[in-house]
Amino acid sequence: PAAGALLIMLVVGTWSRARERTPWTRILLLALAAGWTVLAARTVTLGAIIAVPLAAAAIQRWLDRPADARTRAEGTILAGAALATLGVLALVVPHTSSEPGGVPDELGPQLAALPPGTAVLNDYAVGGWLRWAHPDLDPLIDGLTEAYTIDELEDYRRMTTVSRGWEDLVDETGAEVALLPKDSPLAVALEETRGWCVAGTGADYAVIEAPTMTSGAGCRST
């Protein structure tokens, strides 16, 4: 965000010292870049993508040199690079969109068996995947952090770090199922302190259920 803000400040400073008027279309583009930069961490890149060409034009003005005309060879190289990029995207995007990485796909059967609307006390990193792969469940949190209040995010931090009052916070969520890294502090605390049972494990994550979900049958073997 700081680097993006510096780009925007560079452009504003250059425009403010220019003798000619800045077109309103460029002003709107800069405003859009500023908006993306301050909205959320994941949108800073979008702000930079818009701000960089404007900053490059500002630097060109500093150099007091007219832009050189593009040669035919440069045009050919640019077109070739664009076609090569599109070719790579055509090969890669279908694979990455159908097979997301770093998510507990192997726990899909356990999650799919949960009743619709089940509240899930989930790890932050898989909240977005849960909403996509299991839209009938109700994750506690996902990557859309601006949708949550500061207090909610602080409560989530206290739960995951097993800080003072974490048990009451867990109860307040109403969640009877958790999807957490297997050896995380909260996963261990739920099992050892609250008597939750592991219903399934994957390479990195575990589905953990409250005693009420096991109907008094005790912890199931994984």
Side-chain angles (χ1 to χ4, degrees), residues 1 11 13 37 40 48 52 67 74 76 78 82 92 101 107 110-111 140 152 155 160 171 184-185 192 214 218:
V11 175
T37 301
V52 163
E74 289 172 336
T76 301
L78 182 62
V92 172
L107 294 175
Q110 286 90 345
L111 295 170
L140 177 64
E152 288 172 330
D155 287 346
T160 54
D171 292 338
S184 64
E192 296 182 354
T214 60

Side-chain angles (χ1 to χ4, degrees), residues 6-199:
L6 284 175
L7 282 177
I8 293 169
M9 291 170 61
L10 183 152
V11 175
V12 171
T14 302
W15 287 355
S16 65
R17 296 174 62 86
R19 295 180 179 179
E20 67 274 11
R21 283 188 174 184
T22 301
W24 64 267
T25 50
R26 294 188 182 182
I27 294 174
L28 289 178
L29 279 174
L30 190 66
L32 183 61
W36 283 127
T37 301
V38 301
L39 177 62
R42 66 178 179 279
T43 61
V44 171
T45 303
L46 297 176
I49 289 172
I50 299 171
V52 163
L54 299 175
I59 293 173
Q60 182 74 25
R61 185 176 295 179
W62 289 0
L63 299 176
D64 197 26
R65 289 176 49 193
D68 297 328
R70 188 179 64 187
T71 65
R72 179 173 295 182
E74 289 172 336
T76 301
I77 292 172
L78 182 62
L83 289 174
T85 301
L86 291 174
V88 171
L89 287 174
L91 293 174
V92 172
V93 169
H95 171 75
T96 56
S97 62
S98 60
E99 299 179 23
V103 295
D105 262 332
E106 64 274 18
L107 294 175
Q110 286 90 345
L111 295 170
L114 296 173
T118 297
V120 180
L121 176 52
N122 62 287
D123 182 51
Y124 175 86
V126 296
W129 171 78
L130 267 177
R131 293 198 185 279
W132 172 74
H134 301 277
D136 54 331
L137 300 180
D138 184 19
L140 177 64
I141 196 168
D142 57 37
L144 195 65
T145 48
E146 61 265 31
Y148 302 90
T149 66
I150 297 298
D151 287 341
E152 288 172 330
L153 296 174
E154 175 61 19
D155 287 346
Y156 179 78
R157 184 197 66 78
R158 289 169 58 195
M159 280 188 288
T160 54
T161 57
V162 194
S163 299
R164 178 180 297 180
W166 71 272
E167 293 182 87
D168 292 335
L169 293 173
V170 169
D171 292 338
E172 289 173 8
T173 67
E176 296 180 302
V177 177
L179 177 63
L180 299 166
K182 290 188 291 188
D183 298 324
S184 64
L186 182 56
V188 173
L190 288 173
E191 293 178 63
E192 296 182 354
T193 305
R194 303 301 298 273
W196 288 37
C197 300
V198 175

Side-chain angles (χ1 to χ4, degrees), residues 198-219:
V198 175
T201 59
D204 300 307
Y205 286 86
V207 174
I208 312 169
E209 296 181 350
T212 52
M213 293 290 288
T214 60
S215 302
C219 295

